[in-house]
Amino acid sequence: MKSNNKVSSIIKDFNDGKTADAILELIDLIKHNPKNLDYLFLYAKMCNQTNRLDDAEKTLLFLISKNKTSTEYLHNLYSVYLKKNNINKSEIFIKKLLAIDKNHYEAQRDLGFIEYKKNNINIAQTILEKIVTDKNNDPFALNILGLIYLKKELINKAKKLFEKAIVVNPKYIDSYNNLGNVYFNLEDLDKAYILFK
C-alpha cells in the first residue's frame, strides 16, 4: 500500500509539472524494486513524454525482452521511434503489435501514416479508409487520409475530411493548413489566406 501511495505521488508530481523531481523519485523507487516491471514501464512513459527518447527506448527494449506480447510495451516503443523519425524501426514494432492485435487502432493509423511517408499512397489509403469512419474523431487520421486524397486530386473528399478534423479538434493546426491548401488549389485565395492565418 505504501508503494502505491508513493507511485500516486510521483504521478501527481509529474502531471503537475515537476517532471524532473518525479523522475528522480521514480528512479529511486526502481533502485529499491529493480524487478518491478510496472515501475520501469512508468519510467519509460515519463521519459517518452519528456523526450528522453534514448532512455525510453532502452527501457522499453528491456521490457519487451521480458514480455514480447505486451501491446502496451510495443505501442510505446514504436511511438518512441516515430518521435525519433526512425520510420523503419517504428514499422517493425507496429507490425509486431498488429500480429498480436490486428484491430489495434493506433497501430493501424500509424502504419497508414508510415506508408504515406514512404509514398506508398495506395497502401496508406487502404489502411486509413478501413479505420476512418463517419464516427471517427481522430484529427490525425482524418488529416492523413485527406492528404492522400489531395495527392490523388480528390479535392472535395479531402476538403470534407479537413473540415471534419477542424470540427473534431479546432486546436489541431494541421487541419487549417491542409484545408488552406485545398482552397489554394481551388484558387480561392481569400479562403486560403484566412485558413493559413
Side-chain angles (χ1 to χ4, degrees):
M1 191 69 167
K2 185 180 177 185
S3 60
N4 284 344
N5 291 339
K6 181 73 171 163
V7 171
S8 295
S9 172
I10 289 169
I11 293 170
K12 183 182 181 318
D13 285 350
F14 186 85
N15 290 335
D16 288 345
K18 302 173 192 168
T19 54
D21 292 340
I23 289 173
L24 286 174
E25 284 186 59
L26 184 55
I27 289 170
D28 187 56
L29 193 59
I30 291 168
K31 280 182 189 173
H32 293 94
N33 303 278
K35 293 184 180 180
N36 189 314
L37 300 184
D38 291 335
Y39 295 166
L40 286 169
F41 185 46
L42 180 59
Y43 173 71
K45 290 194 293 185
M46 286 182 175
C47 287
N48 190 2
Q49 285 185 309
T50 56
N51 290 319
R52 296 170 56 177
L53 300 178
D54 291 339
D55 290 339
E57 176 187 4
K58 181 180 168 186
T59 305
L60 288 162
L61 285 169
F62 172 77
L63 289 168
I64 289 169
S65 76
K66 298 295 181 189
N67 182 353
K68 291 177 176 40
T69 61
S70 169
T71 56
E72 287 185 306
Y73 297 166
L74 292 166
H75 181 226
N76 278 271
L77 182 58
Y78 91 65
S79 76
V80 167
Y81 286 130
L82 278 177
K83 280 187 176 179
K84 288 179 137 187
N85 206 24
N86 189 332
I87 300 295
N88 293 331
K89 280 191 177 178
S90 184
E91 183 178 10
I92 289 167
F93 287 98
I94 287 174
K95 288 183 175 177
K96 286 183 181 191
L97 194 161
L98 288 171
I100 297 163
D101 178 5
K102 66 180 180 171
N103 295 317
H104 193 282
Y105 173 81
E106 288 91 352
Q108 290 178 37
R109 178 200 63 202
D110 294 337
L111 183 60
F113 170 69
I114 285 172
E115 294 296 350
Y116 171 77
K117 291 288 279 181
K118 290 167 57 177
N119 211 27
N120 296 328
I121 300 304
N122 291 331
I123 295 170
Q125 181 178 349
T126 300
I127 293 168
L128 288 162
E129 282 181 341
K130 181 180 162 191
I131 64 167
V132 172
T133 64
D134 291 337
K135 296 177 185 173
N136 192 294
N137 288 326
D138 180 352
F140 182 69
L142 294 167
N143 271 280
I144 297 303
L145 185 55
L147 289 171
I148 291 167
Y149 289 154
L150 197 57
K151 200 165 206 171
K152 290 185 156 197
E153 298 183 14
L154 301 169
I155 305 296
N156 287 330
K157 284 178 114 175
K159 181 175 170 270
K160 286 179 187 173
L161 288 173
F162 299 141
E163 288 171 342
K164 182 175 180 182
I166 289 169
V167 170
V168 167
N169 184 352
K171 294 183 180 180
Y172 194 75
I173 303 300
D174 291 357
S175 303
Y176 295 95
N177 186 51
N178 294 332
L179 187 56
N181 283 324
V182 166
Y183 282 110
F184 186 80
N185 287 336
L186 293 171
E187 297 183 12
D188 189 336
L189 301 182
D190 291 335
K191 282 188 182 175
Y193 173 76
I194 289 166
L195 286 159
F196 290 143
K197 190 175 176 184

